[in-house]
Amino acid sequence: MCELLGMNCNVPTDICFSFRGFTLRGGQTGHHTDGFGIAFFEDRGCRVFLDYQPSAGSPIAELIRNYPIKSTHVIAHIRKATVGGITLANCHPFQREMWGRNWIFAHNGNLENLPALRQRHYRPVGTTDSEQAFCLILETLRERHPEPPGSGDLVRTIVEVTRAIAGHGTFNYILSDGELMFAHCATHLHYIVRQAPFSHAHLVDEDLTVDFADLTTPEDRVAVIATRPLTDNETWTAMAPGELTVFKDGAPATFPTGDFE
Amino acid sequence: MCELLGMNCNVPTDICFSFRGFTLRGGQTGHHTDGFGIAFFEDRGCRVFLDYQPSAGSPIAELIRNYPIKSTHVIAHIRKATVGGITLANCHPFQREMWGRNWIFAHNGNLENLPALRQRHYRPVGTTDSEQAFCLILETLRERHPEPPGSGDLVRTIVEVTRAIAGHGTFNYILSDGELMFAHCATHLHYIVRQAPFSHAHLVDEDLTVDFADLTTPEDRVAVIATRPLTDNETWTAMAPGELTVFKDGAPATFPTGDFE
């Protein structure tokens, strides 16, 4: 299984601390050695770094651990290949343009017998169940909403398609268009919201502590989402199976995918 | 104006030497300081590195100058902003998925009064004339060919849409799907094909020489495309205005866009 990492904030923030602990799980403190990726939204732009090497040893991961790219929406993934070979095309996160915005998606879990794609707008490039699920989400959104809908309709459609896909296996994911960040828990997903008063955080995967009070202003709010908590001295919220949490400006709102109507 | 760099080869090759000279033009030997980008195809996968900082000083460009990523199709761009602000969303190369493949595009020139996009499949994320032209190419290809056509039909449609767009201004570009590489010359575009017997090459932008005989096998063939020649001791071919050259496995085939029918 893979691991997911997301960050959503009200002001552009770097993810160096969280990404440091997270990438050690790709070959050092964990066995997710089949590639990694990370996407940073910066206004409407987005940059995606991918490597099929283990994140603990990748020169690209090393760059990102040390280069404080500031972003309000970040999605990262370390891969333990199940469906699809160890290739760049199968590395998450996946990226597509919809309604003139970038959409980014990363998945943890296995999905079987997914419905066929109509392929009117999106086709997978690689061979993962994950990319097929992403294309199904986007295809459903575009067929339902030829023009970008309001956020209520957007969330409703995402809840609906998530519920349909989740019936095919394990479907933990993080999805974002740079405005909202969607996190769906099937089995394991945790989050924490850091806001004033900020204090120390200590990584699980390395003996490293930061004092966020030194790095933030009192108005900052940062939500971090991860398969397993990244720090051992803070209280992370465990999401319940079937919960979709939508983050905006670092604040979460949770919707059950079972009975949203 | 911007500058373009492309590489197409019959075996995966790194672009460190050419990229080194090229990126110095982004703030050191040239004034293209408004961002840069580079895309590497690796089988069906593709990774794109973007930065809105000048390439001569960007930590991401520094990584790529020193990290020998091997690829058969590379497209790079250094930007001098004309249309659209200095933002990540406006950095080339641009990326979209079509027919289950990645498509990558970079442009040098200015285009005015482009026809409106039908936006059935693709919309620009940023505000450049370049991304709009890219969307026009892809939209035309998909409307004409709902399924991927043979290479003859593909080239024919690209020639046709190129000719239509080229009527709106200066349209030097490099485009690839990881199988073919299309280079269109409006004003300035040069290429060189390196093959056995390999010899020394010396950069224009830095006093640096490599001996390709040390780095290659006799079967290797590498085409490098650039706005201005990158070396000063080799013979580059200047493309003629209105010429579209299609590279496959490092070998060029040229089509006039004026009278292809």
Side-chain angles (χ1 to χ4, degrees), chain B residues 135-258:
Chain B
C135 291
L136 278 166
I137 292 174
L138 298 185
E139 197 82 18
T140 304
L141 284 165
R142 280 189 69 158
E143 301 227 331
R144 196 75 57 86
H145 310 287
E147 293 300 319
S151 58
D153 283 342
L154 179 65
V155 171
R156 211 178 318 271
T157 306
I158 289 178
V159 163
E160 194 177 314
V161 64
T162 296
R163 184 171 47 205
I165 294 172
H168 292 266
T170 310
F171 196 38
N172 301 289
Y173 75 73
I174 305 179
L175 167 73
S176 181
D177 67 343
E179 293 201 342
L180 298 174
M181 179 167 280
F182 303 86
H184 180 252
C185 176
T187 51
H188 302 290
L189 209 53
H190 297 75
Y191 69 82
I192 189 167
V193 177
R194 296 190 182 115
Q195 52 195 336
F198 290 97
S199 66
H200 295 81
H202 179 264
L203 287 182
V204 173
D205 297 87
E206 186 179 1
D207 185 14
L208 184 71
T209 299
V210 296
D211 185 350
F212 286 116
D214 296 341
L215 307 169
T216 50
T217 71
E219 291 73 36
D220 291 5
R221 188 171 53 218
V222 178
V224 177
I225 308 148
T227 300
R228 294 182 286 134
L230 291 164
T231 58
D232 53 19
N233 65 332
E234 300 178 294
T235 304
W236 292 68
T237 301
M239 289 176 61
E243 253 181 29
L244 181 88
T245 302
V246 184
F247 294 88
K248 184 175 171 60
D249 298 328
T254 293
F255 304 90
T257 59

Side-chain angles (χ1 to χ4, degrees), chain A residues 115-138:
Chain A
L117 270 164
R118 291 189 54 197
Q119 305 197 330
R120 279 197 53 207
H121 297 290
Y122 301 100
R123 300 186 190 189
V125 172
T127 54
T128 63
D129 51 338
S130 308
E131 192 184 9
Q132 192 176 349
F134 179 39
C135 291
L136 278 165
I137 292 174
L138 297 185

Side-chain angles (χ1 to χ4, degrees), chain B residues 28-94:
Chain B
Q28 196 158 316
T29 59
H31 59 285
H32 313 85
T33 54
D34 301 330
F36 83 98
I38 184 165
F40 297 87
F41 282 94
E42 293 164 69
D43 293 326
R44 293 180 71 83
C46 187
R47 41 184 154 191
V48 183
F49 297 87
L50 299 171
D51 208 347
Y52 51 83
Q53 293 190 49
S55 55
S58 157
I60 297 172
E62 178 67 21
L63 170 84
I64 296 161
R65 279 192 292 268
N66 296 309
Y67 183 30
I69 297 173
K70 299 217 170 194
S71 169
T72 53
H73 297 72
V74 179
I75 296 178
H77 183 271
I78 49 176
R79 182 162 187 246
K80 178 71 187 166
T82 47
V83 178
I86 302 169
T87 65
L88 195 63
N90 287 342
C91 288
H92 310 215
F94 301 102

Side-chain angles (χ1 to χ4, degrees), chain A residues 21-244:
Chain A
F22 182 69
T23 56
L24 292 176
R25 297 177 181 180
Q28 196 158 317
T29 60
H31 59 286
H32 313 86
T33 54
D34 301 331
F36 84 97
I38 184 165
F40 297 86
F41 283 94
E42 293 163 70
D43 293 324
R44 293 180 70 85
C46 186
R47 42 185 153 191
V48 184
F49 298 87
L50 299 171
D51 209 346
Y52 52 82
Q53 293 190 49
S55 56
S58 158
I60 297 172
E62 178 68 21
L63 170 83
I64 297 161
R65 279 192 292 269
N66 296 309
Y67 183 30
I69 297 173
K70 300 216 169 196
S71 170
T72 52
H73 296 73
V74 179
I75 296 178
H77 183 271
I78 49 177
R79 183 162 187 245
K80 177 71 187 164
T82 48
V83 178
I86 302 169
T87 65
L88 195 63
N90 288 341
C91 288
H92 310 214
F94 301 102
Q95 176 178 18
R96 291 289 189 284
E97 174 262 309
M98 177 169 65
W99 302 320
R101 298 191 68 87
N102 289 297
W103 287 76
I104 297 286
F105 175 84
H107 167 227
N108 159 26
N110 287 320
L111 299 165
E112 290 181 355
N113 303 314
L114 285 170
L117 270 164
R118 291 189 54 197
Q119 305 197 330
R120 279 197 53 207
H121 297 290
Y122 301 100
R123 300 186 190 189
V125 172
T127 54
T128 63
D129 51 338
S130 308
E131 192 184 9
Q132 192 176 349
F134 179 39
C135 291
L136 278 165
I137 292 174
L138 297 185
E139 197 81 17
T140 305
L141 283 165
R142 280 190 68 157
E143 301 228 330
R144 195 76 57 84
H145 309 287
E147 294 299 318
S151 59
D153 284 341
L154 179 66
V155 171
R156 212 179 315 272
T157 306
I158 289 179
V159 163
E160 195 177 314
V161 64
T162 296
R163 185 169 47 204
I165 295 173
H168 292 265
T170 310
F171 197 38
N172 302 289
Y173 75 71
I174 305 179
L175 168 73
S176 181
D177 67 343
E179 292 202 341
L180 297 175
M181 179 167 280
F182 302 86
H184 180 252
C185 176
T187 52
H188 303 288
L189 210 52
H190 297 75
Y191 69 82
I192 190 168
V193 176
R194 296 189 180 117
Q195 53 196 335
F198 289 97
S199 66
H200 294 81
H202 179 264
L203 287 182
V204 172
D205 296 271
E206 187 179 3
D207 185 15
L208 183 71
T209 299
V210 296
D211 185 351
F212 286 116
D214 296 341
L215 308 170
T216 50
T217 70
E219 291 71 36
D220 291 5
R221 188 172 53 217
V222 178
V224 178
I225 308 148
T227 299
R228 294 181 286 135
L230 291 164
T231 57
D232 54 18
N233 66 331
E234 300 178 294
T235 304
W236 290 67
T237 300
M239 289 176 60
E243 254 182 29
L244 181 89

Side-chain angles (χ1 to χ4, degrees), chain B residues 103-125:
Chain B
W103 286 76
I104 296 287
F105 175 86
H107 166 227
N108 160 24
N110 287 320
L111 299 165
E112 289 180 355
N113 303 315
L114 285 171
L117 270 165
R118 291 190 53 198
Q119 304 198 331
R120 280 196 52 206
H121 297 290
Y122 301 100
R123 299 186 191 190
V125 173

